[in-house]
Amino acid sequence: MVHQWRGVIEEYRDLLELPEGVEAVTLREGGTPLVTSEWLSGLTDAEVWLKVEGCNPTASFKDRGMTAAISVAKADGAQAVVCASTGNTSASMAAYAAKAGLKPIVLVPEGKIAAGKMAQALLHGAQVLMVRGNFDHCLALARQLAWDYPVELVNSVNPVRLQGQKTASFEVVDLLGDAPDVHLMPVGNAGNISAYWMGYTEYLALGRSTRLPRMVGFQAAGAAPLVHGEPVPDPETRATAIRVGNPASWKLAEAARNESGGRFAAVTDEQILSAQRELARRDGVFVEPASAAGVAGLLADVASGTSYAGQTVVVTVTGHGLKDTATALEGAGALVDTVIDADVDAAAAAAGLR
Ligand SMILES: Cc1ncc(COP(=O)(O)O)c(C=O)c1O
Ligand SMILES: N[C@@H](CCOP(=O)(O)O)C(=O)O
């Protein structure tokens, strides 16, 4: 008998601070693969694992938090939900709102959303409002809407979101048998690194792990407020998912860094896009640009002499590459341009087989 994964609420209900007996609105999120990276393990002389969050139902980690937020919103009698988004939160919210029968309202920075994410939000029935401004402006607007009108805010400022998202560290420990030495990940609005840290500390307190990892968060160089220690008024990066200038979970993320002995560091767009391509070609894992920031950071660390030798390293790759094929194809360049006649000799020659 094969058992289907039940989604993060049912798998971890006892460990989540949710209203008693809340009915789960689930698309069976979570239970994502932890994939060995032979490439990165070889480069670092460490044991490097990728937590592949693009395998969630809407293809990003947001689903872990959204199952919780939408379940609670529905139980509380909400009719509509709202979020500000750089794309993935809106895709996830729209899908779970559809499942729950709630009206999804999305606020996105005009012209800065990858097409795949926009398609997801629209197809799931969201009312998408393009805002002249960046993500930080959208979040301020979403907070105000939720304050003034009967609509539930489901960004990660809603603490229920982090309850769902902390299950990713439970899964890491359940699979590895203990916490890793170090956990690397991209950071934007900073809810996810805060949720991972919450999960790791709770598992330690429960005796399900014996140690805590150092939490290392990587931001895009043009949108690195946590690295600089002050908000960035005009954040800019090709990794649009982490184009955030004033992270809502700033204090929680700083606490995660300080308590874990970790750090925040910046990676350039060139490093991010290069890491995205290398990860796809060497490990077979296709992620969106922002999702490659942790891998870019690991590569930058190795280049600058930081040693990971002998350690267990987990890198969360947060969302699927199919979300933003335009940026990926720009990077693929000449590789996509070979046109031939339907002729075996021409095909063999063009493919380098003879
Ligand atoms: C693909 C992807 N990676 C990373 C992040 C950053 O996560 P957080 O905002 O929780 O720091 C986001 C969005 O927030 C995202 O969509
Ligand atoms: N990258 C995020 C930004 C907002 O995220 P949230 O986790 O704080 O809701 C997105 O996908 O919109």
Side-chain angles (χ1 to χ4, degrees):
M1 178 78 161
V2 175
H3 292 284
Q4 188 180 193
W5 175 265
R6 294 172 296 167
V8 299
I9 292 182
E10 293 309 340
E11 294 292 337
Y12 293 108
R13 187 181 280 272
D14 292 352
L15 305 179
L16 307 185
E17 282 177 34
L18 298 178
E20 182 96 16
V22 73
E23 194 182 324
V25 176
T26 181
L27 293 167
R28 312 277 173 163
E29 59 294 314
T32 55
L34 202 53
V35 175
T36 316
S37 172
E38 282 83 11
W39 167 49
L40 294 170
S41 297
L43 269 181
T44 53
D45 204 13
E47 189 185 298
V48 181
W49 298 87
L50 303 168
K51 182 68 170 155
V52 185
E53 290 290 272
C55 291
N56 276 296
T58 76
S60 86
F61 70 92
K62 305 286 180 175
D63 296 343
R64 295 178 180 276
M66 210 51 79
T67 181
I70 297 291
S71 300
V72 172
K74 187 176 182 196
D76 287 348
Q79 303 291 312
V81 283
V82 66
C83 72
S85 187
T86 57
N88 282 323
T89 293
S90 60
S92 183
M93 182 191 79
Y96 284 81
K99 182 86 174 160
L102 307 182
K103 174 183 169 65
I105 302 165
V106 164
L107 302 169
V108 294
E110 184 189 21
K112 297 292 184 182
I113 303 298
K117 302 173 188 178
M118 183 64 90
Q120 287 179 289
L122 291 170
L123 268 282
H124 289 306
Q127 177 74 56
V128 178
L129 307 177
M130 314 257 222
V131 177
R132 289 186 207 97
N134 60 35
F135 170 80
D136 305 295
H137 300 123
C138 293
L139 184 55
L141 195 52
R143 286 184 199 259
Q144 194 65 48
L145 273 179
W147 188 258
D148 291 345
Y149 296 90
V151 53
E152 190 70 26
L153 180 63
V154 296
N155 277 106
S156 58
V157 292
N158 179 334
V160 173
R161 277 276 309 278
L162 301 197
Q163 289 298 312
Q165 284 175 218
K166 75 184 182 186
T167 59
S169 31
F170 296 166
E171 289 176 22
V172 169
V173 174
D174 289 345
L175 280 157
L176 293 181
D178 207 341
D181 294 294
V182 55
H183 195 126
L184 315 183
M185 59 198 300
V187 173
N189 209 24
N192 211 28
I193 195 164
S194 309
Y196 267 90
W197 183 241
M198 192 191 296
Y200 279 127
T201 52
E202 288 179 4
Y203 246 30
L204 181 73
L206 288 167
R208 297 197 187 188
S209 58
T210 67
R211 59 188 185 180
L212 292 167
R214 294 191 307 284
M215 301 300 296
V216 182
F218 290 98
Q219 300 201 286
L226 289 163
V227 179
H228 303 310
E230 59 183 8
V232 174
D234 294 308
E236 203 44 85
T237 168
R238 300 287 306 282
T240 51
I242 51 173
R243 189 171 167 272
V244 177
N246 193 7
S249 292
W250 189 302
K251 287 203 160 57
L252 287 176
E254 278 191 338
R257 175 197 62 190
N258 297 343
E259 291 166 17
S260 75
R263 67 196 155 88
F264 295 117
V267 279
T268 65
D269 281 4
E270 290 69 28
Q271 288 173 313
I272 289 173
L273 296 174
S274 165
Q276 180 198 25
R277 286 193 296 275
E278 291 291 299
L279 191 63
R281 296 185 70 143
R282 293 176 185 270
D283 277 340
V285 177
F286 183 27
V287 303
E288 68 164 285
S291 304
V295 174
L298 181 60
L299 294 173
D301 279 354
V302 170
S304 66
T306 302
S307 175
Y308 288 88
Q311 301 190 10
T312 304
V313 180
V314 173
V315 189
T316 297
V317 286
T318 42
H320 204 286
L322 290 173
K323 297 256 186 187
D324 183 3
T325 51
T327 307
L329 285 170
E330 276 173 42
L335 295 176
V336 296
D337 281 344
T338 310
V339 178
I340 57 161
D341 290 328
D343 171 83
V344 71
D345 292 330
L353 295 173
R354 69 183 172 101

PDB file of all heavy atoms in Angstrom, residues 39-40 268-282 285 287-289 291-299:
ATOM      1  N   TRP A  39      28.264  17.828  -7.952  1.00  0.00           N
ATOM      2  CA  TRP A  39      29.057  18.970  -8.418  1.00  0.00           C
ATOM      3  C   TRP A  39      29.533  19.839  -7.243  1.00  0.00           C
ATOM      4  O   TRP A  39      30.738  20.070  -7.061  1.00  0.00           O
ATOM      5  CB  TRP A  39      28.201  19.791  -9.393  1.00  0.00           C
ATOM      6  CG  TRP A  39      28.716  21.144  -9.730  1.00  0.00           C
ATOM      7  CD1 TRP A  39      29.995  21.466 -10.117  1.00  0.00           C
ATOM      8  CD2 TRP A  39      27.980  22.381  -9.695  1.00  0.00           C
ATOM      9  NE1 TRP A  39      30.086  22.824 -10.330  1.00  0.00           N
ATOM     10  CE2 TRP A  39      28.878  23.400 -10.082  1.00  0.00           C
ATOM     11  CE3 TRP A  39      26.661  22.711  -9.396  1.00  0.00           C
ATOM     12  CZ2 TRP A  39      28.488  24.745 -10.166  1.00  0.00           C
ATOM     13  CZ3 TRP A  39      26.269  24.047  -9.488  1.00  0.00           C
ATOM     14  CH2 TRP A  39      27.169  25.039  -9.860  1.00  0.00           C
ATOM     15  N   LEU A  40      28.586  20.309  -6.425  1.00  0.00           N
ATOM     16  CA  LEU A  40      28.942  21.214  -5.327  1.00  0.00           C
ATOM     17  C   LEU A  40      29.683  20.469  -4.210  1.00  0.00           C
ATOM     18  O   LEU A  40      30.556  21.035  -3.557  1.00  0.00           O
ATOM     19  CB  LEU A  40      27.689  21.905  -4.793  1.00  0.00           C
ATOM     20  CG  LEU A  40      27.027  22.866  -5.800  1.00  0.00           C
ATOM     21  CD1 LEU A  40      25.654  23.321  -5.309  1.00  0.00           C
ATOM     22  CD2 LEU A  40      27.922  24.081  -6.067  1.00  0.00           C
ATOM     23  N   THR A 268      26.157  39.146  -7.026  1.00  0.00           N
ATOM     24  CA  THR A 268      25.769  39.980  -8.160  1.00  0.00           C
ATOM     25  C   THR A 268      24.794  39.220  -9.063  1.00  0.00           C
ATOM     26  O   THR A 268      24.709  37.978  -9.012  1.00  0.00           O
ATOM     27  CB  THR A 268      26.994  40.366  -9.009  1.00  0.00           C
ATOM     28  OG1 THR A 268      27.526  39.165  -9.580  1.00  0.00           O
ATOM     29  CG2 THR A 268      28.056  41.070  -8.171  1.00  0.00           C
ATOM     30  N   ASP A 269      24.106  39.951  -9.912  1.00  0.00           N
ATOM     31  CA  ASP A 269      23.197  39.298 -10.867  1.00  0.00           C
ATOM     32  C   ASP A 269      23.977  38.334 -11.766  1.00  0.00           C
ATOM     33  O   ASP A 269      23.481  37.256 -12.114  1.00  0.00           O
ATOM     34  CB  ASP A 269      22.470  40.343 -11.719  1.00  0.00           C
ATOM     35  CG  ASP A 269      21.305  40.979 -10.958  1.00  0.00           C
ATOM     36  OD1 ASP A 269      21.114  40.657  -9.767  1.00  0.00           O
ATOM     37  OD2 ASP A 269      20.584  41.794 -11.565  1.00  0.00           O
ATOM     38  N   GLU A 270      25.191  38.715 -12.159  1.00  0.00           N
ATOM     39  CA  GLU A 270      26.010  37.833 -13.008  1.00  0.00           C
ATOM     40  C   GLU A 270      26.286  36.519 -12.271  1.00  0.00           C
ATOM     41  O   GLU A 270      26.187  35.428 -12.845  1.00  0.00           O
ATOM     42  CB  GLU A 270      27.347  38.511 -13.375  1.00  0.00           C
ATOM     43  CG  GLU A 270      27.229  39.682 -14.347  1.00  0.00           C
ATOM     44  CD  GLU A 270      26.532  40.913 -13.726  1.00  0.00           C
ATOM     45  OE1 GLU A 270      26.593  41.108 -12.480  1.00  0.00           O
ATOM     46  OE2 GLU A 270      25.882  41.656 -14.489  1.00  0.00           O
ATOM     47  N   GLN A 271      26.617  36.607 -11.002  1.00  0.00           N
ATOM     48  CA  GLN A 271      26.885  35.378 -10.222  1.00  0.00           C
ATOM     49  C   GLN A 271      25.615  34.535 -10.091  1.00  0.00           C
ATOM     50  O   GLN A 271      25.658  33.307 -10.173  1.00  0.00           O
ATOM     51  CB  GLN A 271      27.417  35.753  -8.831  1.00  0.00           C
ATOM     52  CG  GLN A 271      28.838  36.292  -8.857  1.00  0.00           C
ATOM     53  CD  GLN A 271      29.284  36.809  -7.493  1.00  0.00           C
ATOM     54  OE1 GLN A 271      28.569  37.550  -6.829  1.00  0.00           O
ATOM     55  NE2 GLN A 271      30.476  36.422  -7.071  1.00  0.00           N
ATOM     56  N   ILE A 272      24.480  35.207  -9.900  1.00  0.00           N
ATOM     57  CA  ILE A 272      23.212  34.483  -9.745  1.00  0.00           C
ATOM     58  C   ILE A 272      22.846  33.758 -11.044  1.00  0.00           C
ATOM     59  O   ILE A 272      22.519  32.555 -11.034  1.00  0.00           O
ATOM     60  CB  ILE A 272      22.081  35.467  -9.351  1.00  0.00           C
ATOM     61  CG1 ILE A 272      22.270  35.952  -7.908  1.00  0.00           C
ATOM     62  CG2 ILE A 272      20.709  34.822  -9.517  1.00  0.00           C
ATOM     63  CD1 ILE A 272      21.314  37.056  -7.474  1.00  0.00           C
ATOM     64  N   LEU A 273      22.933  34.469 -12.175  1.00  0.00           N
ATOM     65  CA  LEU A 273      22.520  33.862 -13.455  1.00  0.00           C
ATOM     66  C   LEU A 273      23.490  32.773 -13.873  1.00  0.00           C
ATOM     67  O   LEU A 273      23.096  31.756 -14.457  1.00  0.00           O
ATOM     68  CB  LEU A 273      22.384  34.949 -14.523  1.00  0.00           C
ATOM     69  CG  LEU A 273      21.270  35.980 -14.231  1.00  0.00           C
ATOM     70  CD1 LEU A 273      21.275  37.108 -15.253  1.00  0.00           C
ATOM     71  CD2 LEU A 273      19.894  35.321 -14.179  1.00  0.00           C
ATOM     72  N   SER A 274      24.757  32.961 -13.570  1.00  0.00           N
ATOM     73  CA  SER A 274      25.743  31.924 -13.878  1.00  0.00           C
ATOM     74  C   SER A 274      25.479  30.671 -13.026  1.00  0.00           C
ATOM     75  O   SER A 274      25.504  29.534 -13.524  1.00  0.00           O
ATOM     76  CB  SER A 274      27.144  32.490 -13.631  1.00  0.00           C
ATOM     77  OG  SER A 274      28.071  31.468 -13.579  1.00  0.00           O
ATOM     78  N   ALA A 275      25.180  30.876 -11.751  1.00  0.00           N
ATOM     79  CA  ALA A 275      24.880  29.728 -10.872  1.00  0.00           C
ATOM     80  C   ALA A 275      23.630  29.009 -11.357  1.00  0.00           C
ATOM     81  O   ALA A 275      23.550  27.771 -11.332  1.00  0.00           O
ATOM     82  CB  ALA A 275      24.690  30.216  -9.436  1.00  0.00           C
ATOM     83  N   GLN A 276      22.635  29.769 -11.815  1.00  0.00           N
ATOM     84  CA  GLN A 276      21.399  29.159 -12.331  1.00  0.00           C
ATOM     85  C   GLN A 276      21.724  28.219 -13.498  1.00  0.00           C
ATOM     86  O   GLN A 276      21.259  27.084 -13.561  1.00  0.00           O
ATOM     87  CB  GLN A 276      20.431  30.257 -12.788  1.00  0.00           C
ATOM     88  CG  GLN A 276      19.129  29.733 -13.345  1.00  0.00           C
ATOM     89  CD  GLN A 276      18.358  30.756 -14.189  1.00  0.00           C
ATOM     90  OE1 GLN A 276      18.960  31.693 -14.749  1.00  0.00           O
ATOM     91  NE2 GLN A 276      17.065  30.588 -14.283  1.00  0.00           N
ATOM     92  N   ARG A 277      22.548  28.713 -14.443  1.00  0.00           N
ATOM     93  CA  ARG A 277      22.900  27.894 -15.628  1.00  0.00           C
ATOM     94  C   ARG A 277      23.706  26.667 -15.222  1.00  0.00           C
ATOM     95  O   ARG A 277      23.457  25.559 -15.677  1.00  0.00           O
ATOM     96  CB  ARG A 277      23.710  28.739 -16.622  1.00  0.00           C
ATOM     97  CG  ARG A 277      22.902  29.761 -17.378  1.00  0.00           C
ATOM     98  CD  ARG A 277      23.690  30.324 -18.547  1.00  0.00           C
ATOM     99  NE  ARG A 277      24.871  31.061 -18.142  1.00  0.00           N
ATOM    100  CZ  ARG A 277      24.874  32.353 -17.798  1.00  0.00           C
ATOM    101  NH1 ARG A 277      23.755  33.046 -17.808  1.00  0.00           N
ATOM    102  NH2 ARG A 277      26.000  32.958 -17.454  1.00  0.00           N
ATOM    103  N   GLU A 278      24.696  26.874 -14.358  1.00  0.00           N
ATOM    104  CA  GLU A 278      25.561  25.759 -13.953  1.00  0.00           C
ATOM    105  C   GLU A 278      24.763  24.670 -13.224  1.00  0.00           C
ATOM    106  O   GLU A 278      24.970  23.480 -13.444  1.00  0.00           O
ATOM    107  CB  GLU A 278      26.676  26.266 -13.035  1.00  0.00           C
ATOM    108  CG  GLU A 278      27.684  27.135 -13.732  1.00  0.00           C
ATOM    109  CD  GLU A 278      28.524  26.350 -14.722  1.00  0.00           C
ATOM    110  OE1 GLU A 278      29.217  25.417 -14.312  1.00  0.00           O
ATOM    111  OE2 GLU A 278      28.451  26.653 -15.935  1.00  0.00           O
ATOM    112  N   LEU A 279      23.854  25.103 -12.372  1.00  0.00           N
ATOM    113  CA  LEU A 279      23.047  24.146 -11.608  1.00  0.00           C
ATOM    114  C   LEU A 279      22.189  23.306 -12.558  1.00  0.00           C
ATOM    115  O   LEU A 279      22.036  22.088 -12.372  1.00  0.00           O
ATOM    116  CB  LEU A 279      22.163  24.913 -10.619  1.00  0.00           C
ATOM    117  CG  LEU A 279      21.443  24.102  -9.554  1.00  0.00           C
ATOM    118  CD1 LEU A 279      22.445  23.408  -8.632  1.00  0.00           C
ATOM    119  CD2 LEU A 279      20.539  25.013  -8.726  1.00  0.00           C
ATOM    120  N   ALA A 280      21.638  23.970 -13.564  1.00  0.00           N
ATOM    121  CA  ALA A 280      20.809  23.250 -14.537  1.00  0.00           C
ATOM    122  C   ALA A 280      21.649  22.255 -15.330  1.00  0.00           C
ATOM    123  O   ALA A 280      21.237  21.117 -15.560  1.00  0.00           O
ATOM    124  CB  ALA A 280      20.139  24.252 -15.470  1.00  0.00           C
ATOM    125  N   ARG A 281      22.832  22.675 -15.753  1.00  0.00           N
ATOM    126  CA  ARG A 281      23.660  21.825 -16.624  1.00  0.00           C
ATOM    127  C   ARG A 281      24.375  20.727 -15.862  1.00  0.00           C
ATOM    128  O   ARG A 281      24.593  19.645 -16.387  1.00  0.00           O
ATOM    129  CB  ARG A 281      24.688  22.685 -17.357  1.00  0.00           C
ATOM    130  CG  ARG A 281      24.031  23.677 -18.306  1.00  0.00           C
ATOM    131  CD  ARG A 281      25.064  24.418 -19.088  1.00  0.00           C
ATOM    132  NE  ARG A 281      25.698  23.515 -20.040  1.00  0.00           N
ATOM    133  CZ  ARG A 281      26.078  23.854 -21.246  1.00  0.00           C
ATOM    134  NH1 ARG A 281      25.902  25.088 -21.668  1.00  0.00           N
ATOM    135  NH2 ARG A 281      26.651  23.003 -22.047  1.00  0.00           N
ATOM    136  N   ARG A 282      24.778  21.002 -14.632  1.00  0.00           N
ATOM    137  CA  ARG A 282      25.599  20.015 -13.922  1.00  0.00           C
ATOM    138  C   ARG A 282      24.770  19.089 -13.034  1.00  0.00           C
ATOM    139  O   ARG A 282      25.097  17.923 -12.870  1.00  0.00           O
ATOM    140  CB  ARG A 282      26.644  20.723 -13.054  1.00  0.00           C
ATOM    141  CG  ARG A 282      27.685  21.454 -13.879  1.00  0.00           C
ATOM    142  CD  ARG A 282      28.608  22.198 -12.949  1.00  0.00           C
ATOM    143  NE  ARG A 282      29.564  23.018 -13.652  1.00  0.00           N
ATOM    144  CZ  ARG A 282      30.770  22.594 -14.033  1.00  0.00           C
ATOM    145  NH1 ARG A 282      31.154  21.369 -13.774  1.00  0.00           N
ATOM    146  NH2 ARG A 282      31.585  23.425 -14.650  1.00  0.00           N
ATOM    147  N   VAL A 285      19.026  20.431 -12.141  1.00  0.00           N
ATOM    148  CA  VAL A 285      18.009  21.124 -11.332  1.00  0.00           C
ATOM    149  C   VAL A 285      17.826  22.532 -11.905  1.00  0.00           C
ATOM    150  O   VAL A 285      18.747  23.348 -11.876  1.00  0.00           O
ATOM    151  CB  VAL A 285      18.437  21.188  -9.847  1.00  0.00           C
ATOM    152  CG1 VAL A 285      17.417  21.972  -9.030  1.00  0.00           C
ATOM    153  CG2 VAL A 285      18.595  19.773  -9.285  1.00  0.00           C
ATOM    154  N   VAL A 287      16.188  26.043 -11.738  1.00  0.00           N
ATOM    155  CA  VAL A 287      15.559  26.946 -10.762  1.00  0.00           C
ATOM    156  C   VAL A 287      15.420  28.329 -11.367  1.00  0.00           C
ATOM    157  O   VAL A 287      16.093  28.677 -12.328  1.00  0.00           O
ATOM    158  CB  VAL A 287      16.383  27.025  -9.456  1.00  0.00           C
ATOM    159  CG1 VAL A 287      16.552  25.642  -8.861  1.00  0.00           C
ATOM    160  CG2 VAL A 287      17.743  27.686  -9.670  1.00  0.00           C
ATOM    161  N   GLU A 288      14.561  29.141 -10.782  1.00  0.00           N
ATOM    162  CA  GLU A 288      14.454  30.519 -11.261  1.00  0.00           C
ATOM    163  C   GLU A 288      15.655  31.319 -10.727  1.00  0.00           C
ATOM    164  O   GLU A 288      16.337  30.868  -9.792  1.00  0.00           O
ATOM    165  CB  GLU A 288      13.121  31.138 -10.835  1.00  0.00           C
ATOM    166  CG  GLU A 288      12.964  31.373  -9.361  1.00  0.00           C
ATOM    167  CD  GLU A 288      11.803  32.336  -9.071  1.00  0.00           C
ATOM    168  OE1 GLU A 288      11.988  33.540  -9.294  1.00  0.00           O
ATOM    169  OE2 GLU A 288      10.730  31.861  -8.648  1.00  0.00           O
ATOM    170  N   PRO A 289      15.914  32.504 -11.306  1.00  0.00           N
ATOM    171  CA  PRO A 289      17.137  33.223 -10.920  1.00  0.00           C
ATOM    172  C   PRO A 289      17.295  33.418  -9.405  1.00  0.00           C
ATOM    173  O   PRO A 289      18.342  33.050  -8.843  1.00  0.00           O
ATOM    174  CB  PRO A 289      17.008  34.561 -11.660  1.00  0.00           C
ATOM    175  CG  PRO A 289      16.240  34.212 -12.901  1.00  0.00           C
ATOM    176  CD  PRO A 289      15.258  33.157 -12.471  1.00  0.00           C
ATOM    177  N   SER A 291      16.268  31.851  -6.994  1.00  0.00           N
ATOM    178  CA  SER A 291      16.458  30.584  -6.294  1.00  0.00           C
ATOM    179  C   SER A 291      17.897  30.118  -6.341  1.00  0.00           C
ATOM    180  O   SER A 291      18.299  29.250  -5.564  1.00  0.00           O
ATOM    181  CB  SER A 291      15.573  29.509  -6.916  1.00  0.00           C
ATOM    182  OG  SER A 291      14.240  29.929  -6.895  1.00  0.00           O
ATOM    183  N   ALA A 292      18.669  30.673  -7.286  1.00  0.00           N
ATOM    184  CA  ALA A 292      20.065  30.262  -7.435  1.00  0.00           C
ATOM    185  C   ALA A 292      20.991  31.095  -6.554  1.00  0.00           C
ATOM    186  O   ALA A 292      22.208  30.867  -6.546  1.00  0.00           O
ATOM    187  CB  ALA A 292      20.485  30.381  -8.901  1.00  0.00           C
ATOM    188  N   ALA A 293      20.435  32.054  -5.791  1.00  0.00           N
ATOM    189  CA  ALA A 293      21.305  32.944  -5.010  1.00  0.00           C
ATOM    190  C   ALA A 293      22.123  32.174  -3.960  1.00  0.00           C
ATOM    191  O   ALA A 293      23.284  32.518  -3.703  1.00  0.00           O
ATOM    192  CB  ALA A 293      20.476  34.041  -4.339  1.00  0.00           C
ATOM    193  N   GLY A 294      21.540  31.134  -3.371  1.00  0.00           N
ATOM    194  CA  GLY A 294      22.278  30.353  -2.378  1.00  0.00           C
ATOM    195  C   GLY A 294      23.449  29.610  -3.005  1.00  0.00           C
ATOM    196  O   GLY A 294      24.546  29.541  -2.431  1.00  0.00           O
ATOM    197  N   VAL A 295      23.210  29.054  -4.198  1.00  0.00           N
ATOM    198  CA  VAL A 295      24.289  28.347  -4.909  1.00  0.00           C
ATOM    199  C   VAL A 295      25.349  29.363  -5.332  1.00  0.00           C
ATOM    200  O   VAL A 295      26.566  29.114  -5.200  1.00  0.00           O
ATOM    201  CB  VAL A 295      23.732  27.594  -6.140  1.00  0.00           C
ATOM    202  CG1 VAL A 295      24.856  26.993  -6.968  1.00  0.00           C
ATOM    203  CG2 VAL A 295      22.759  26.506  -5.686  1.00  0.00           C
ATOM    204  N   ALA A 296      24.904  30.536  -5.818  1.00  0.00           N
ATOM    205  CA  ALA A 296      25.857  31.582  -6.213  1.00  0.00           C
ATOM    206  C   ALA A 296      26.719  31.973  -5.013  1.00  0.00           C
ATOM    207  O   ALA A 296      27.933  32.171  -5.135  1.00  0.00           O
ATOM    208  CB  ALA A 296      25.102  32.798  -6.742  1.00  0.00           C
ATOM    209  N   GLY A 297      26.089  32.061  -3.855  1.00  0.00           N
ATOM    210  CA  GLY A 297      26.823  32.425  -2.647  1.00  0.00           C
ATOM    211  C   GLY A 297      27.838  31.358  -2.259  1.00  0.00           C
ATOM    212  O   GLY A 297      28.971  31.674  -1.875  1.00  0.00           O
ATOM    213  N   LEU A 298      27.443  30.105  -2.388  1.00  0.00           N
ATOM    214  CA  LEU A 298      28.373  29.016  -2.062  1.00  0.00           C
ATOM    215  C   LEU A 298      29.585  29.073  -2.996  1.00  0.00           C
ATOM    216  O   LEU A 298      30.743  28.945  -2.560  1.00  0.00           O
ATOM    217  CB  LEU A 298      27.647  27.664  -2.188  1.00  0.00           C
ATOM    218  CG  LEU A 298      28.457  26.413  -1.856  1.00  0.00           C
ATOM    219  CD1 LEU A 298      28.967  26.436  -0.421  1.00  0.00           C
ATOM    220  CD2 LEU A 298      27.605  25.153  -2.069  1.00  0.00           C
ATOM    221  N   LEU A 299      29.321  29.289  -4.292  1.00  0.00           N
ATOM    222  CA  LEU A 299      30.420  29.353  -5.269  1.00  0.00           C
ATOM    223  C   LEU A 299      31.327  30.550  -4.972  1.00  0.00           C
ATOM    224  O   LEU A 299      32.559  30.444  -5.062  1.00  0.00           O
ATOM    225  CB  LEU A 299      29.855  29.463  -6.692  1.00  0.00           C
ATOM    226  CG  LEU A 299      29.075  28.229  -7.187  1.00  0.00           C
ATOM    227  CD1 LEU A 299      28.423  28.521  -8.544  1.00  0.00           C
ATOM    228  CD2 LEU A 299      29.989  27.012  -7.281  1.00  0.00           C
TER     229      LEU A 299
END
